Each structure stands twice: as C-alpha cells, then as structure tokens.
Amino acid sequence: MQAAYASAQQSPFNYVVAVGALVQTGRADQALTDQIMTDQTQADEWQFYTVPARFRGQSLTARGFDARRNVAVSVEVGCLGNICGGHGTHERALYFLRRDGDNRYVLQSPPCAFWIFPDPDEHTLSVVQECHDGNC
C-alpha cells in the first residue's frame, strides 16, 4: 500500500485516496471483453475495457478520511493475454482513484490490483494517513 501511495504521489496524474464501497452500475462492452479473452495474437500487449461504477465513502484529507464522496467511477480493467483484473467492486476497500478533469474518476484494475486494498483495517488506514502527512 505504501508503494501505491508513492506511485500515486510521483505520477503526473492526480489521485484521490478513498475508503468506501464501489458498486458496478453498468456492463462492460461484451464484444470487446470476448475479443480480449479469445484473441491471443496480442497476448503480450496490454488491453483494456471499461466498467461503469459508483463510489460512496470518504476521501483522505489532512484530518483523515473525512471528505464524503459519492462519485461515478470508470473502472479500467487491464488484461494481459486472457488474464484480467477484476471490476474492483467491494463493500469496503481502500482505493486510489485517478482524477481526470473536474469530476471524472478512474480506477485502474490490472491483474495485480495495485490500486485496491479490500477490507482495510485501522492500521492500514493510519499508515496511509502517515504517508499523507509525509511520514511514509
């Protein structure tokens, strides 16, 4: 999780660290997902499909996880060959949401869920807060 925080901090993109629930609100393009899963001619190249979702929870501020969020999220599921990440939906997880523009949030979900930490305990949340405070 500290590696995810450091990557987000060093990224040219803006990230929001948030804890809460992510619920899928629509379907992925079935033709695209079928193509990714069956076309192994590009097995060594990343391919992506998007799933619409909604995040409800709190994002991290200097005072802790106290900023309420209820936002639409595009989950970018990454696939390498026929191995894909999940849709990232959990009742409670710590998420690193990329913020594109004013109100567009993206959750990147490769096969190894680098930006998603399901069921975080209080210790995990305090470590993220410490990283946010500059003590990572």
Side-chain angles (χ1 to χ4, degrees):
M1 181 264 315
Q2 290 160 313
Y5 191 92
S7 291
Q9 195 172 36
Q10 295 167 4
S11 172
F13 299 105
N14 293 317
Y15 280 84
V16 172
V17 182
V19 65
L22 187 72
V23 177
Q24 187 173 329
T25 58
R27 299 177 54 95
D29 179 339
Q30 192 62 47
L32 179 59
T33 58
D34 288 347
Q35 175 187 348
I36 290 171
M37 297 305 285
T38 58
D39 179 10
Q40 294 304 299
T41 61
Q42 298 178 359
D44 59 346
E45 295 179 26
W46 282 101
Q47 298 182 69
F48 300 90
Y49 67 90
T50 303
V51 177
R54 177 156 291 279
F55 172 82
R56 289 184 179 94
Q58 296 80 32
S59 62
L60 182 60
T61 70
R63 297 177 308 278
F65 289 92
D66 65 350
R68 299 194 89 162
R69 299 269 179 179
N70 182 352
V71 295
V73 175
S74 293
V75 180
E76 286 183 355
V77 179
C79 302
L80 195 54
N82 64 356
I83 301 172
C84 298
H87 294 178
T89 55
H90 295 280
E91 287 185 25
R92 185 168 188 268
L94 177 68
Y95 295 100
F96 287 76
L97 304 173
R98 190 179 77 216
R99 187 171 182 179
D100 295 348
D102 289 336
N103 236 357
R104 179 165 150 63
Y105 294 88
V106 176
L107 174 63
Q108 297 166 293
S109 184
C112 296
F114 187 73
W115 303 108
I116 307 165
F117 300 88
D119 300 317
D121 58 18
E122 289 305 313
H123 174 73
T124 300
L125 298 179
S126 68
V127 169
V128 174
Q129 180 69 50
E130 289 174 13
C131 287
H132 190 69
D133 294 341
N135 302 314
C136 203

